[in-house]
Amino acid sequence: MTEREQTIHDHSISLTKEYLFAPNLLEKIFKEYSIVDRKLQGNVYNEKYLIRPLTLADYEHGFIDLLRQLTECGKISSDDFRERFYDMKQCLNTYFVLVIEDLTENKRIIGTTTLVCEKKFIRQLATRARIEDVVVDQKYRGQQLGKLLIDLLTKFAKEVCQCYKISLECKDDLVKFYKQFGYNHEDKQNYLCQRF
Ligand code: 16G
């Protein structure tokens, strides 16, 4: 490989490792998390599952296919993925996509959740959060990985992003699951939706 080819190669590798948001933002909640719930420590630290922000390389490791287990995704090329990745990244402190990588399965992405932080004028310029697109690969369910993702991002919204509230939408049969993390129906509030 010539020096120029090597430079291009190194550059493309460093690009694919580019994170959607700074991984060190997660440090605070990881530390607190392991103290709060020791049962799950193994999932984070046993060197099988790495929990980290989404990277550009995750397109190659099944990120979109994983989302297909949640809903339809259509056709998304790697260029489409890159464009959307940068659209999100340039909205500072807004999109936090967490993924779980199986280190023993060629970096396969086996779980994901997104936190969206929306800035407001109300409540002294408050920020509100939403949990979106929670999905764990069918083959990996039953290991409390979904619990781990939601717990982490809920704490992240509160402690790192200092949101004043967080909400999510889910099917009836998942209400019980989400209640364990403190999500509840609010009195006299409704979720209304219009599909286009
Ligand atoms: C669920 C998801 C939501 C996702 C939607 C996709 C959670 C908590 N909720 O409601 O984030 O965007 O499904 O379904 O993960 P749709 O394509 O029918 O809108």
Side-chain angles (χ1 to χ4, degrees), residues 113-139:
T113 307
T114 297
L115 175 77
V116 185
C117 290
E118 180 188 352
K119 290 180 182 63
K120 300 253 184 197
F121 285 113
I122 62 163
R123 294 180 181 262
Q124 193 61 56
L125 308 177
T127 304
R128 75 97 91 205
R130 270 183 299 122
I131 291 269
E132 291 279 355
D133 303 334
V134 180
V135 47
V136 172
D137 190 317
Q138 273 152 2
K139 291 191 206 115

PDB file of all heavy atoms in Angstrom, residues 113-139:
ATOM      1  N   THR A 113     -31.726   1.690  21.290  1.00  0.00           N
ATOM      2  CA  THR A 113     -32.766   2.606  21.783  1.00  0.00           C
ATOM      3  C   THR A 113     -32.308   4.026  21.491  1.00  0.00           C
ATOM      4  O   THR A 113     -31.112   4.295  21.511  1.00  0.00           O
ATOM      5  CB  THR A 113     -32.928   2.513  23.315  1.00  0.00           C
ATOM      6  OG1 THR A 113     -33.136   1.168  23.655  1.00  0.00           O
ATOM      7  CG2 THR A 113     -34.094   3.312  23.811  1.00  0.00           C
ATOM      8  N   THR A 114     -33.265   4.895  21.240  1.00  0.00           N
ATOM      9  CA  THR A 114     -32.926   6.297  20.959  1.00  0.00           C
ATOM     10  C   THR A 114     -33.568   7.209  21.994  1.00  0.00           C
ATOM     11  O   THR A 114     -34.737   7.028  22.344  1.00  0.00           O
ATOM     12  CB  THR A 114     -33.457   6.680  19.550  1.00  0.00           C
ATOM     13  OG1 THR A 114     -32.788   5.870  18.588  1.00  0.00           O
ATOM     14  CG2 THR A 114     -33.195   8.146  19.237  1.00  0.00           C
ATOM     15  N   LEU A 115     -32.779   8.176  22.427  1.00  0.00           N
ATOM     16  CA  LEU A 115     -33.327   9.240  23.276  1.00  0.00           C
ATOM     17  C   LEU A 115     -33.329  10.510  22.432  1.00  0.00           C
ATOM     18  O   LEU A 115     -32.313  10.848  21.821  1.00  0.00           O
ATOM     19  CB  LEU A 115     -32.424   9.431  24.498  1.00  0.00           C
ATOM     20  CG  LEU A 115     -32.820  10.584  25.403  1.00  0.00           C
ATOM     21  CD1 LEU A 115     -34.022  10.206  26.254  1.00  0.00           C
ATOM     22  CD2 LEU A 115     -31.651  10.963  26.313  1.00  0.00           C
ATOM     23  N   VAL A 116     -34.480  11.176  22.378  1.00  0.00           N
ATOM     24  CA  VAL A 116     -34.553  12.448  21.660  1.00  0.00           C
ATOM     25  C   VAL A 116     -34.829  13.535  22.695  1.00  0.00           C
ATOM     26  O   VAL A 116     -35.774  13.432  23.481  1.00  0.00           O
ATOM     27  CB  VAL A 116     -35.703  12.447  20.616  1.00  0.00           C
ATOM     28  CG1 VAL A 116     -35.678  13.742  19.804  1.00  0.00           C
ATOM     29  CG2 VAL A 116     -35.592  11.243  19.691  1.00  0.00           C
ATOM     30  N   CYS A 117     -34.007  14.572  22.683  1.00  0.00           N
ATOM     31  CA  CYS A 117     -34.173  15.682  23.629  1.00  0.00           C
ATOM     32  C   CYS A 117     -34.640  16.916  22.866  1.00  0.00           C
ATOM     33  O   CYS A 117     -33.974  17.349  21.919  1.00  0.00           O
ATOM     34  CB  CYS A 117     -32.859  15.977  24.340  1.00  0.00           C
ATOM     35  SG  CYS A 117     -32.412  14.686  25.489  1.00  0.00           S
ATOM     36  N   GLU A 118     -35.753  17.431  23.298  1.00  0.00           N
ATOM     37  CA  GLU A 118     -36.369  18.558  22.582  1.00  0.00           C
ATOM     38  C   GLU A 118     -36.285  19.813  23.453  1.00  0.00           C
ATOM     39  O   GLU A 118     -36.718  19.808  24.608  1.00  0.00           O
ATOM     40  CB  GLU A 118     -37.843  18.185  22.333  1.00  0.00           C
ATOM     41  CG  GLU A 118     -38.640  19.219  21.621  1.00  0.00           C
ATOM     42  CD  GLU A 118     -40.123  18.839  21.610  1.00  0.00           C
ATOM     43  OE1 GLU A 118     -40.495  17.718  22.013  1.00  0.00           O
ATOM     44  OE2 GLU A 118     -40.915  19.706  21.223  1.00  0.00           O
ATOM     45  N   LYS A 119     -35.720  20.867  22.881  1.00  0.00           N
ATOM     46  CA  LYS A 119     -35.577  22.114  23.654  1.00  0.00           C
ATOM     47  C   LYS A 119     -36.877  22.912  23.590  1.00  0.00           C
ATOM     48  O   LYS A 119     -37.545  22.944  22.576  1.00  0.00           O
ATOM     49  CB  LYS A 119     -34.433  22.953  23.096  1.00  0.00           C
ATOM     50  CG  LYS A 119     -33.090  22.326  23.368  1.00  0.00           C
ATOM     51  CD  LYS A 119     -31.962  23.162  22.814  1.00  0.00           C
ATOM     52  CE  LYS A 119     -30.636  22.469  23.057  1.00  0.00           C
ATOM     53  NZ  LYS A 119     -30.530  21.177  22.367  1.00  0.00           N
ATOM     54  N   LYS A 120     -37.202  23.562  24.729  1.00  0.00           N
ATOM     55  CA  LYS A 120     -38.470  24.295  24.857  1.00  0.00           C
ATOM     56  C   LYS A 120     -38.228  25.716  25.350  1.00  0.00           C
ATOM     57  O   LYS A 120     -37.183  25.998  25.943  1.00  0.00           O
ATOM     58  CB  LYS A 120     -39.337  23.599  25.909  1.00  0.00           C
ATOM     59  CG  LYS A 120     -39.680  22.170  25.600  1.00  0.00           C
ATOM     60  CD  LYS A 120     -41.101  22.125  25.223  1.00  0.00           C
ATOM     61  CE  LYS A 120     -41.599  20.734  24.975  1.00  0.00           C
ATOM     62  NZ  LYS A 120     -42.854  20.793  24.242  1.00  0.00           N
ATOM     63  N   PHE A 121     -39.231  26.569  25.152  1.00  0.00           N
ATOM     64  CA  PHE A 121     -39.225  27.881  25.800  1.00  0.00           C
ATOM     65  C   PHE A 121     -39.883  27.782  27.171  1.00  0.00           C
ATOM     66  O   PHE A 121     -39.544  28.514  28.091  1.00  0.00           O
ATOM     67  CB  PHE A 121     -39.974  28.908  24.950  1.00  0.00           C
ATOM     68  CG  PHE A 121     -39.178  29.347  23.739  1.00  0.00           C
ATOM     69  CD1 PHE A 121     -39.592  29.022  22.462  1.00  0.00           C
ATOM     70  CD2 PHE A 121     -38.008  30.087  23.896  1.00  0.00           C
ATOM     71  CE1 PHE A 121     -38.851  29.412  21.354  1.00  0.00           C
ATOM     72  CE2 PHE A 121     -37.261  30.489  22.794  1.00  0.00           C
ATOM     73  CZ  PHE A 121     -37.687  30.150  21.513  1.00  0.00           C
ATOM     74  N   ILE A 122     -40.851  26.877  27.278  1.00  0.00           N
ATOM     75  CA  ILE A 122     -41.615  26.774  28.540  1.00  0.00           C
ATOM     76  C   ILE A 122     -40.727  26.316  29.694  1.00  0.00           C
ATOM     77  O   ILE A 122     -39.638  25.792  29.473  1.00  0.00           O
ATOM     78  CB  ILE A 122     -42.812  25.803  28.387  1.00  0.00           C
ATOM     79  CG1 ILE A 122     -42.298  24.388  28.055  1.00  0.00           C
ATOM     80  CG2 ILE A 122     -43.793  26.304  27.353  1.00  0.00           C
ATOM     81  CD1 ILE A 122     -43.329  23.314  28.296  1.00  0.00           C
ATOM     82  N   ARG A 123     -41.266  26.490  30.892  1.00  0.00           N
ATOM     83  CA  ARG A 123     -40.601  26.019  32.123  1.00  0.00           C
ATOM     84  C   ARG A 123     -39.126  26.454  32.165  1.00  0.00           C
ATOM     85  O   ARG A 123     -38.224  25.634  32.348  1.00  0.00           O
ATOM     86  CB  ARG A 123     -40.703  24.501  32.245  1.00  0.00           C
ATOM     87  CG  ARG A 123     -42.121  24.027  32.446  1.00  0.00           C
ATOM     88  CD  ARG A 123     -42.199  22.525  32.555  1.00  0.00           C
ATOM     89  NE  ARG A 123     -43.563  22.092  32.715  1.00  0.00           N
ATOM     90  CZ  ARG A 123     -44.112  21.798  33.910  1.00  0.00           C
ATOM     91  NH1 ARG A 123     -43.404  21.888  35.018  1.00  0.00           N
ATOM     92  NH2 ARG A 123     -45.363  21.421  33.977  1.00  0.00           N
ATOM     93  N   GLN A 124     -38.935  27.737  31.965  1.00  0.00           N
ATOM     94  CA  GLN A 124     -37.580  28.312  32.042  1.00  0.00           C
ATOM     95  C   GLN A 124     -36.620  27.599  31.085  1.00  0.00           C
ATOM     96  O   GLN A 124     -35.584  27.080  31.471  1.00  0.00           O
ATOM     97  CB  GLN A 124     -37.087  28.220  33.500  1.00  0.00           C
ATOM     98  CG  GLN A 124     -35.850  29.039  33.819  1.00  0.00           C
ATOM     99  CD  GLN A 124     -36.041  30.513  33.608  1.00  0.00           C
ATOM    100  OE1 GLN A 124     -36.955  31.087  34.183  1.00  0.00           O
ATOM    101  NE2 GLN A 124     -35.211  31.105  32.776  1.00  0.00           N
ATOM    102  N   LEU A 125     -37.043  27.555  29.808  1.00  0.00           N
ATOM    103  CA  LEU A 125     -36.193  26.982  28.753  1.00  0.00           C
ATOM    104  C   LEU A 125     -35.864  25.504  29.037  1.00  0.00           C
ATOM    105  O   LEU A 125     -34.693  25.086  28.993  1.00  0.00           O
ATOM    106  CB  LEU A 125     -34.899  27.780  28.593  1.00  0.00           C
ATOM    107  CG  LEU A 125     -35.054  29.288  28.420  1.00  0.00           C
ATOM    108  CD1 LEU A 125     -33.681  29.959  28.353  1.00  0.00           C
ATOM    109  CD2 LEU A 125     -35.859  29.643  27.176  1.00  0.00           C
ATOM    110  N   ALA A 126     -36.899  24.753  29.316  1.00  0.00           N
ATOM    111  CA  ALA A 126     -36.700  23.347  29.689  1.00  0.00           C
ATOM    112  C   ALA A 126     -36.400  22.459  28.470  1.00  0.00           C
ATOM    113  O   ALA A 126     -36.561  22.869  27.322  1.00  0.00           O
ATOM    114  CB  ALA A 126     -37.962  22.842  30.391  1.00  0.00           C
ATOM    115  N   THR A 127     -35.975  21.235  28.783  1.00  0.00           N
ATOM    116  CA  THR A 127     -35.770  20.209  27.750  1.00  0.00           C
ATOM    117  C   THR A 127     -36.628  19.003  28.120  1.00  0.00           C
ATOM    118  O   THR A 127     -36.652  18.601  29.282  1.00  0.00           O
ATOM    119  CB  THR A 127     -34.283  19.772  27.700  1.00  0.00           C
ATOM    120  OG1 THR A 127     -33.482  20.927  27.496  1.00  0.00           O
ATOM    121  CG2 THR A 127     -34.028  18.791  26.569  1.00  0.00           C
ATOM    122  N   ARG A 128     -37.341  18.478  27.145  1.00  0.00           N
ATOM    123  CA  ARG A 128     -38.129  17.266  27.408  1.00  0.00           C
ATOM    124  C   ARG A 128     -37.581  16.126  26.550  1.00  0.00           C
ATOM    125  O   ARG A 128     -36.988  16.339  25.492  1.00  0.00           O
ATOM    126  CB  ARG A 128     -39.625  17.514  27.183  1.00  0.00           C
ATOM    127  CG  ARG A 128     -40.067  17.597  25.762  1.00  0.00           C
ATOM    128  CD  ARG A 128     -40.610  16.279  25.265  1.00  0.00           C
ATOM    129  NE  ARG A 128     -42.030  16.167  25.472  1.00  0.00           N
ATOM    130  CZ  ARG A 128     -42.627  14.989  25.576  1.00  0.00           C
ATOM    131  NH1 ARG A 128     -41.942  13.869  25.534  1.00  0.00           N
ATOM    132  NH2 ARG A 128     -43.930  14.936  25.714  1.00  0.00           N
ATOM    133  N   ALA A 129     -37.764  14.895  27.033  1.00  0.00           N
ATOM    134  CA  ALA A 129     -37.167  13.754  26.337  1.00  0.00           C
ATOM    135  C   ALA A 129     -38.208  12.740  25.895  1.00  0.00           C
ATOM    136  O   ALA A 129     -39.301  12.664  26.478  1.00  0.00           O
ATOM    137  CB  ALA A 129     -36.171  13.087  27.277  1.00  0.00           C
ATOM    138  N   ARG A 130     -37.884  12.001  24.855  1.00  0.00           N
ATOM    139  CA  ARG A 130     -38.695  10.865  24.421  1.00  0.00           C
ATOM    140  C   ARG A 130     -37.787   9.669  24.188  1.00  0.00           C
ATOM    141  O   ARG A 130     -36.690   9.825  23.666  1.00  0.00           O
ATOM    142  CB  ARG A 130     -39.421  11.189  23.105  1.00  0.00           C
ATOM    143  CG  ARG A 130     -40.781  11.809  23.310  1.00  0.00           C
ATOM    144  CD  ARG A 130     -41.485  12.037  21.999  1.00  0.00           C
ATOM    145  NE  ARG A 130     -40.743  12.941  21.172  1.00  0.00           N
ATOM    146  CZ  ARG A 130     -40.295  12.666  19.946  1.00  0.00           C
ATOM    147  NH1 ARG A 130     -40.509  11.491  19.411  1.00  0.00           N
ATOM    148  NH2 ARG A 130     -39.635  13.575  19.254  1.00  0.00           N
ATOM    149  N   ILE A 131     -38.268   8.501  24.583  1.00  0.00           N
ATOM    150  CA  ILE A 131     -37.571   7.242  24.292  1.00  0.00           C
ATOM    151  C   ILE A 131     -38.197   6.677  23.022  1.00  0.00           C
ATOM    152  O   ILE A 131     -39.433   6.567  22.940  1.00  0.00           O
ATOM    153  CB  ILE A 131     -37.763   6.225  25.443  1.00  0.00           C
ATOM    154  CG1 ILE A 131     -37.029   6.674  26.703  1.00  0.00           C
ATOM    155  CG2 ILE A 131     -37.353   4.828  25.027  1.00  0.00           C
ATOM    156  CD1 ILE A 131     -35.612   6.194  26.857  1.00  0.00           C
ATOM    157  N   GLU A 132     -37.392   6.350  22.050  1.00  0.00           N
ATOM    158  CA  GLU A 132     -37.887   5.867  20.764  1.00  0.00           C
ATOM    159  C   GLU A 132     -37.152   4.601  20.328  1.00  0.00           C
ATOM    160  O   GLU A 132     -35.997   4.380  20.716  1.00  0.00           O
ATOM    161  CB  GLU A 132     -37.646   6.935  19.672  1.00  0.00           C
ATOM    162  CG  GLU A 132     -38.489   8.180  19.798  1.00  0.00           C
ATOM    163  CD  GLU A 132     -39.898   7.996  19.246  1.00  0.00           C
ATOM    164  OE1 GLU A 132     -40.209   6.936  18.678  1.00  0.00           O
ATOM    165  OE2 GLU A 132     -40.700   8.933  19.406  1.00  0.00           O
ATOM    166  N   ASP A 133     -37.831   3.847  19.487  1.00  0.00           N
ATOM    167  CA  ASP A 133     -37.205   2.738  18.744  1.00  0.00           C
ATOM    168  C   ASP A 133     -36.387   1.781  19.619  1.00  0.00           C
ATOM    169  O   ASP A 133     -35.192   1.560  19.393  1.00  0.00           O
ATOM    170  CB  ASP A 133     -36.335   3.307  17.605  1.00  0.00           C
ATOM    171  CG  ASP A 133     -37.162   4.195  16.673  1.00  0.00           C
ATOM    172  OD1 ASP A 133     -38.383   3.989  16.596  1.00  0.00           O
ATOM    173  OD2 ASP A 133     -36.593   5.105  16.053  1.00  0.00           O
ATOM    174  N   VAL A 134     -37.085   1.240  20.601  1.00  0.00           N
ATOM    175  CA  VAL A 134     -36.465   0.241  21.485  1.00  0.00           C
ATOM    176  C   VAL A 134     -36.564  -1.116  20.803  1.00  0.00           C
ATOM    177  O   VAL A 134     -37.673  -1.570  20.508  1.00  0.00           O
ATOM    178  CB  VAL A 134     -37.226   0.154  22.829  1.00  0.00           C
ATOM    179  CG1 VAL A 134     -36.570  -0.880  23.746  1.00  0.00           C
ATOM    180  CG2 VAL A 134     -37.307   1.514  23.506  1.00  0.00           C
ATOM    181  N   VAL A 135     -35.446  -1.750  20.549  1.00  0.00           N
ATOM    182  CA  VAL A 135     -35.504  -3.094  19.960  1.00  0.00           C
ATOM    183  C   VAL A 135     -34.286  -3.929  20.349  1.00  0.00           C
ATOM    184  O   VAL A 135     -33.169  -3.445  20.342  1.00  0.00           O
ATOM    185  CB  VAL A 135     -35.743  -3.043  18.417  1.00  0.00           C
ATOM    186  CG1 VAL A 135     -34.847  -2.070  17.740  1.00  0.00           C
ATOM    187  CG2 VAL A 135     -35.607  -4.393  17.755  1.00  0.00           C
ATOM    188  N   VAL A 136     -34.588  -5.170  20.735  1.00  0.00           N
ATOM    189  CA  VAL A 136     -33.532  -6.149  21.033  1.00  0.00           C
ATOM    190  C   VAL A 136     -33.740  -7.318  20.077  1.00  0.00           C
ATOM    191  O   VAL A 136     -34.876  -7.775  19.889  1.00  0.00           O
ATOM    192  CB  VAL A 136     -33.612  -6.628  22.509  1.00  0.00           C
ATOM    193  CG1 VAL A 136     -32.646  -7.785  22.757  1.00  0.00           C
ATOM    194  CG2 VAL A 136     -33.289  -5.476  23.456  1.00  0.00           C
ATOM    195  N   ASP A 137     -32.681  -7.758  19.460  1.00  0.00           N
ATOM    196  CA  ASP A 137     -32.745  -8.874  18.508  1.00  0.00           C
ATOM    197  C   ASP A 137     -33.462 -10.074  19.145  1.00  0.00           C
ATOM    198  O   ASP A 137     -33.159 -10.432  20.294  1.00  0.00           O
ATOM    199  CB  ASP A 137     -31.303  -9.266  18.134  1.00  0.00           C
ATOM    200  CG  ASP A 137     -31.243 -10.236  16.976  1.00  0.00           C
ATOM    201  OD1 ASP A 137     -32.039 -11.195  16.942  1.00  0.00           O
ATOM    202  OD2 ASP A 137     -30.389 -10.034  16.098  1.00  0.00           O
ATOM    203  N   GLN A 138     -34.358 -10.668  18.352  1.00  0.00           N
ATOM    204  CA  GLN A 138     -35.154 -11.805  18.862  1.00  0.00           C
ATOM    205  C   GLN A 138     -34.295 -12.868  19.547  1.00  0.00           C
ATOM    206  O   GLN A 138     -34.672 -13.421  20.570  1.00  0.00           O
ATOM    207  CB  GLN A 138     -35.894 -12.483  17.706  1.00  0.00           C
ATOM    208  CG  GLN A 138     -37.231 -11.839  17.411  1.00  0.00           C
ATOM    209  CD  GLN A 138     -37.643 -11.992  15.973  1.00  0.00           C
ATOM    210  OE1 GLN A 138     -36.934 -12.620  15.180  1.00  0.00           O
ATOM    211  NE2 GLN A 138     -38.783 -11.419  15.618  1.00  0.00           N
ATOM    212  N   LYS A 139     -33.129 -13.133  18.970  1.00  0.00           N
ATOM    213  CA  LYS A 139     -32.271 -14.218  19.506  1.00  0.00           C
ATOM    214  C   LYS A 139     -31.657 -13.853  20.851  1.00  0.00           C
ATOM    215  O   LYS A 139     -31.085 -14.699  21.524  1.00  0.00           O
ATOM    216  CB  LYS A 139     -31.131 -14.511  18.531  1.00  0.00           C
ATOM    217  CG  LYS A 139     -31.590 -15.151  17.253  1.00  0.00           C
ATOM    218  CD  LYS A 139     -30.383 -15.663  16.458  1.00  0.00           C
ATOM    219  CE  LYS A 139     -30.735 -15.712  14.990  1.00  0.00           C
ATOM    220  NZ  LYS A 139     -29.973 -14.812  14.153  1.00  0.00           N
TER     221      LYS A 139
END
